[in-house]
Amino acid sequence: MLLFFELEWAALPTSAPEELLAGEGLDFCRHHLRNVRRYREHLPLRAREKDPRREGAHGRGAWSRLFEELTSAIEVTLPGTGELGEDKLALDVALSRLALADREVRRTTAEAVTAALEPGLRTRAFLFNTLLADKATTTACAATPAGWRRATSQTRPVTSRWQR
């Protein structure tokens, strides 16, 4: 697995990348590699790099897993033929019923889904908002000139980190 390849590619001396790109067999990635070089001053600092293999048990990965586990545990109770005259469906199965043609089925399903989502709503909303805030922060610092300027304009002037 190549980690931080783009940073190493962007750090190459000026003439080396063009010589390498002129070679055969790079048609599938030539455009991407040229863009990495073009926007190299907007790549993250080495100190802020994250090894994706280390993020699984904590950080965004942990929040995502908790949100998915809480959501997958939701059962929607619909009137039916099951025990006590009702059927329990997983949330994703119940949500798929909202696309059925029968208006009454859609109405009863929507009411049942709403009732099933009520318990634990504050916790799931907090998790969802945490994930959105993390994504917004990551996106604001992305390797685009506009995003980098927006993220750094309040703290320090934009300068090239690759200048020696």
Side-chain angles (χ1 to χ4, degrees):
M1 177 177 188
L2 292 175
L3 293 177
F4 315 123
F5 171 78
E6 291 182 353
L7 292 173
E8 298 300 329
W9 178 256
L12 287 173
T14 307
S15 60
E18 282 307 316
E19 291 174 20
L20 293 169
L21 288 173
E24 295 292 321
L26 293 178
D27 293 338
F28 71 98
C29 63
R30 188 172 285 123
H31 176 74
H32 172 72
L33 293 174
R34 281 197 173 117
N35 278 338
V36 169
R37 295 283 300 166
R38 180 179 175 196
Y39 295 112
R40 67 182 170 265
E41 65 187 51
H42 306 290
L43 289 173
L45 294 170
R46 197 105 7 219
R48 292 173 49 194
E49 292 172 8
K50 291 182 180 174
D51 184 346
R53 296 175 296 182
R54 297 174 59 195
E55 291 185 8
H58 60 289
R60 185 185 332 167
W63 288 110
S64 294
R65 181 174 175 197
L66 179 58
F67 182 79
E68 288 172 10
E69 287 189 17
L70 290 174
T71 305
S72 66
I74 297 172
E75 287 186 333
V76 179
T77 304
L78 290 167
T81 58
E83 195 174 307
L84 302 175
E86 53 191 35
D87 290 328
K88 290 194 180 245
L89 301 175
L91 179 62
D92 58 338
V93 175
L95 289 173
S96 69
R97 292 171 49 100
L98 295 174
L100 296 176
D102 187 342
R103 185 179 199 154
E104 185 60 25
V105 169
R106 290 194 318 265
R107 185 187 66 72
T108 56
T109 301
E111 290 171 355
V113 166
T114 301
L117 289 174
E118 185 64 35
L121 180 61
R122 289 177 54 111
T123 304
R124 289 190 311 276
F126 174 77
L127 289 170
F128 187 70
N129 288 336
T130 301
L131 291 169
L132 285 178
D134 181 65
K135 179 67 174 171
T137 302
T138 304
T139 303
C141 294
T144 60
W148 179 253
R149 279 194 297 273
R150 240 187 340 271
T152 60
S153 64
Q154 302 300 321
T155 57
R156 63 180 187 266
V158 177
T159 58
S160 172
R161 285 165 276 151
W162 297 99
Q163 292 175 347
R164 302 212 189 258

